Amino acid sequence: MTDQPSSAARQSRQQNRRRLSPVTGAILCAFFVHDVHAAGQWAISANDGHTTTNTAGKMVTAGIIVPDSLSLIRFEHGSPVLGKTLHLPNSVEGPPTTVWIAPDSCWAIVTAGSHAGAHVGDPVIEDDVVSVVAIDHATLHLVQTLHAGLGASQVTVSPDQKWVLVGNRKSGTVSVFAVAHRQLHPVQTLSMGADSNPASVIFLPDGQHAVVVLRGPHQLALLDRRRNGFDVQKQRLDLGYAPNTMNITRSGLIAIGDQDPAHPAVHLVRLNDGTLNLLGTIPVAPGPEPLRFSPDGRYLAVGAVNNSNKDPSKHGTLTLYRVDGSRLAPIASENVGRWPQGIMFSPDGHTLVVQNTTDKTMTVLKWDGIRLRPAGTLSMTAGPAAAATSW
C-alpha cells in the first residue's frame, strides 16, 4: 500500500501540469547502443523547469516555467556530451539523488517531490510521482508512472534489482516497491515517524539492509530485508544537526552531508555487525548538498551551495577529498555555478560534472591526480537538479 495524496493535491497537480501517460509494454534494451562508448554506459541528469528561489532561499514557482526533463549524458574521451532528453516530472526539492540508472544503462527511475504552484512566486506544491524510464538505442521512453508519498525524494534500488525504496520527506515514510520485468509494484509503506523527514535512503552492498537519513530527528535508521518486504530497526544512530544527502562506496562506506549552518560537515558511517557506527566527522564548506564518491571510492567530491541559491553575488564550490579509512583529506577545490546540486564522475574518475540549478548549466572539471581545473560548461534548458551514473 502506498500513500495517497489528497484530492486537493491531485486537482492542483492536474491544473498546473500536464500528466504524462505511460507507454504500454516493456521496451527491451539493445546490447550495444549507437554512439556510446564500448561499455554502453550512460549518466542521467534530472532537470527542474518549475522551481526558483526567493531572496529568503525558499523554493517558489518560477516566472518562466519550462518542462521538467530527464537528459542522457555520455562521456567521450573523458568529456561529457548531452544526449537525448525526455519531458517528465522531477524536482530540485530534496537531495540531488532523486534519480537512479541501472548498471547496464537500460532503465532508470525518477521521482518528483514537487510541482509548480498556480502563480509566479507561489510555494511549489508537494508531489509524489515516480517515473520508470526505459533506455533503448540512446532514447528515453516513459514506461510507467506511479505514486510514492508526498515529497518523494531519493530513490534506491537493491543490487539484484528486485526492490526499490523511495524516501518521502513530507509524509514521513519510505515506499517499498517490488520489481518485475522492470516494472514497479507497490508492496509496503514504512512509517518513519511524525516529522521524521526521510530525505535520503540507500541500499547497502549486501542488498539485505538499507539506511535512511531522518533529517527531522537528526538520525540514521536501518531497514532489514525480510521475505516480503522490510522491517525498521528500533535502534537509531544520532547524527549531527541537519543530515541530508547520502552516498556510498562499493565497500559500504557511507558519507552523509550535514547542512548545519553553524557546523557544516560530512559524517562517515559504516555498518558493522548489524549496527551503524559513526567513524568520523569532517568540517566542510557551507551548504554541503552535492556529495559523490569517485567510482573507485578513493575520492569524495563535496559541493558547497554557499548561499548561492538566494544571493546572486555568490557561487558554489567543489572540494575533492582523498578517502583514507575513516578520514577525509582535502586535496583540491574549484569554483562552480550557483546552487550546485548533483555531481557526476566520468567512468575513469578524471572528469567531474557539477549541476548548477540557478544558472541552468553544468560545470565540467578535470582532475589529473594533482589539481582540479575548469574545462567548460554545458548549457541546459531547465535547472539540473539530480544526477546518477550507471558505473
Side-chain angles (χ1 to χ4, degrees), residues 337-352:
R338 292 178 295 169
W339 200 5
Q341 287 293 302
I343 298 171
M344 292 175 254
F345 277 90
S346 61
D348 64 8
H350 295 310
T351 303
L352 292 86

Side-chain angles (χ1 to χ4, degrees), residues 197-213:
N197 194 341
S200 298
V201 57
I202 201 162
F203 270 102
L204 298 188
D206 64 7
Q208 302 301 309
H209 301 89
V211 176
V212 185
V213 171

Side-chain angles (χ1 to χ4, degrees), residues 36-215:
V36 186
H37 59 76
Q41 293 177 304
W42 289 101
I44 50 176
S45 172
N47 315 304
D48 182 328
H50 65 269
T51 304
T52 189
T53 53
N54 58 23
T55 54
K58 300 296 183 181
M59 284 176 276
V60 296
T61 303
I64 299 176
I65 296 176
V66 299
D68 299 338
S69 59
L70 181 69
S71 299
L72 286 171
I73 297 171
R74 67 179 183 267
F75 284 82
E76 293 183 351
H77 307 293
S79 296
V81 178
L82 280 173
K84 293 183 179 179
T85 290
L86 172 69
H87 293 165
L88 84 175
N90 59 74
S91 172
V92 70
E93 193 171 5
T97 49
T98 58
V99 290
W100 171 88
I101 182 170
D104 63 5
S105 292
C106 288
W107 67 298
I109 304 172
V110 185
T111 69
S114 77
H115 63 271
H119 305 97
V120 174
D122 282 356
V124 293
I125 299 172
E126 301 300 330
D127 215 333
D128 63 359
V129 179
V130 180
S131 301
V132 180
V133 175
I135 304 170
D136 181 57
H137 289 85
T139 302
L140 299 160
H141 307 269
L142 179 65
V143 297
Q144 187 183 20
T145 300
L146 62 164
H147 303 280
L150 286 180
S153 188
Q154 182 165 10
V155 56
T156 184
V157 180
S158 60
D160 60 10
Q161 297 185 37
K162 292 182 178 180
W163 297 95
V164 171
L165 305 175
V166 176
N168 306 307
R169 294 174 299 100
K170 295 301 180 181
S171 65
T173 62
V174 173
S175 295
V176 181
F177 300 92
V179 182
H181 306 294
R182 296 175 183 163
Q183 294 271 307
L184 306 191
H185 304 275
V187 170
Q188 189 181 16
T189 299
L190 302 173
S191 176
M192 306 307 296
D195 301 318
S196 58
N197 194 341
S200 298
V201 57
I202 201 162
F203 270 102
L204 298 188
D206 64 7
Q208 302 301 309
H209 301 89
V211 176
V212 185
V213 171
L214 304 178
R215 188 178 171 102

Side-chain angles (χ1 to χ4, degrees), residues 245-249 253-258 265-269 280-284 288-303 318-333 343 345 349 352 367 372:
T245 307
M246 178 167 51
N247 196 229
I248 189 169
T249 66
L253 179 64
I254 305 167
I256 302 104
D258 193 324
V266 168
H267 307 290
L268 294 179
V269 172
T281 297
I282 299 89
V284 298
E289 191 164 13
L291 185 101
R292 182 63 62 95
F293 282 107
S294 61
D296 60 9
R298 295 176 57 197
Y299 303 102
L300 177 67
V302 181
L318 188 287
T319 301
L320 199 60
Y321 294 82
R322 179 174 286 109
V323 180
D324 181 14
S326 61
R327 297 178 297 175
L328 298 177
I331 53 177
S333 186
I343 298 171
F345 277 90
L352 292 86
W367 168 245
L372 199 61

